[in-house]
Amino acid sequence: MDRLPPGSPANVLILSPEETNFYGAAPLIQALNHAIPGGWFGGALPSQGFWGYPAPLDATRIFAALGKTNHERFAKGDPPL
């Protein structure tokens, strides 16, 4: 992810056979860490960073956690991530 050129997507989800990884905005990392315990996180927080989980996860579960974060942002009047 560090080698992607400027203008690349800000939030990236990588589903692999061995683990699940997300790179992006800190509120989304916090949402994933809260909704799916047992993973790891770090990076340039509190602005952006990474989250990972040591097994493959269904994308629907991940998007549900991320969608809740965007719903909460919308309720506060903030733009979606």
Side-chain angles (χ1 to χ4, degrees):
M1 292 306 300
D2 294 336
R3 296 182 182 185
L4 287 178
S8 297
N11 299 304
V12 176
L13 174 63
I14 299 173
L15 303 173
S16 71
E18 301 294 323
E19 62 187 31
T20 304
N21 294 283
F22 177 82
Y23 301 86
L28 299 178
I29 292 166
Q30 291 170 345
L32 288 168
N33 193 54
H34 177 73
I36 307 169
W40 58 84
F41 63 94
L45 299 171
S47 62
Q48 63 183 26
F50 61 85
W51 173 87
Y53 190 79
L57 294 172
D58 182 65
T60 305
R61 183 175 178 194
I62 296 166
F63 292 140
L66 298 178
K68 180 178 179 187
T69 298
N70 276 324
H71 177 72
E72 290 168 355
R73 290 180 60 81
F74 180 78
K76 290 188 221 174
D78 296 334
L81 296 170

